[in-house]
């Protein structure tokens, strides 16, 4: 079952269109983004990935974001919890996607 999830996630990343999220404020500046806005941006990227993870009975929950360290904290649930391929999905899939779309994200950890 874990191999199926990994295959689905891999295909998703191979075939998906990479979207650029506009992080500018209404006045065009990029600084001063609130923590709530950043959490919304992270959640939007996770929502793009979620169907692939759910296809094999798992899910990902956003726990928090530490803006000083650029660390996203996620909870792996369902089939993902305890799965041997969960770390690969977390680092090779979710972290890769978040870092590509949101430069503020430096790492992703499972809580």
């Amino acid at each position: 079952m874990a191999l199926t999830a990994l295959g689905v996630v891999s295909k998703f990343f191979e075939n998906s269109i990479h979207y650029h999220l506009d992080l500018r404020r209404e006045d065009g500046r990029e600084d001063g983004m609130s923590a709530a806005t950043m959490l919304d941006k992270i959640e939007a990227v996770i929502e793009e990935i979620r169907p692939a993870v759910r296809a094999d009975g798992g899910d990902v929950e956003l726990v928090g974001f530490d803006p000083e360290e650029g660390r996203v904290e996620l909870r792996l649930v369902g089939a993902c919890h305890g799965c041997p391929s969960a770390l690969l999905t977390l680092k090779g899939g979710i972290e890769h996607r978040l870092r590509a779309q949101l430069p503020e994200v430096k790492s992703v950890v499972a809580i």
Side-chain angles (χ1 to χ4, degrees):
M1 187 189 289
L3 208 47
T4 303
L6 181 58
V8 170
V9 171
S10 296
K11 287 292 183 192
F12 177 82
F13 289 114
E14 289 172 9
N15 298 320
S16 68
I17 298 171
H18 294 278
Y19 298 96
H20 173 72
L21 298 176
D22 189 357
L23 300 178
R24 291 175 292 175
R25 299 181 331 177
E26 288 181 17
D27 63 6
R29 293 182 9 207
E30 293 187 22
D31 60 344
M33 186 182 345
S34 71
T37 302
M38 189 60 190
L39 288 173
D40 291 339
K41 301 287 185 186
I42 294 168
E43 188 63 47
V45 175
I46 291 172
E47 281 299 319
E48 295 173 3
I49 298 166
R50 187 166 270 133
V53 176
R54 284 184 175 168
D56 205 38
D59 204 355
V60 179
E61 297 174 355
L62 176 59
V63 175
F65 175 68
D66 179 347
E68 291 180 12
E69 294 186 24
R71 184 182 64 235
V72 175
E73 297 171 344
L74 301 176
R75 181 176 297 115
L76 302 173
V77 296
C80 290
H81 182 72
C83 172
S85 296
L87 183 61
L88 183 57
T89 299
L90 184 73
K91 293 294 187 177
I94 298 170
E95 181 178 289
H96 176 77
R97 185 70 171 262
L98 283 168
R99 290 179 69 192
Q101 293 190 23
L102 302 170
E104 296 85 358
V105 174
K106 305 297 181 213
S107 67
V108 175
V109 296
I111 299 296

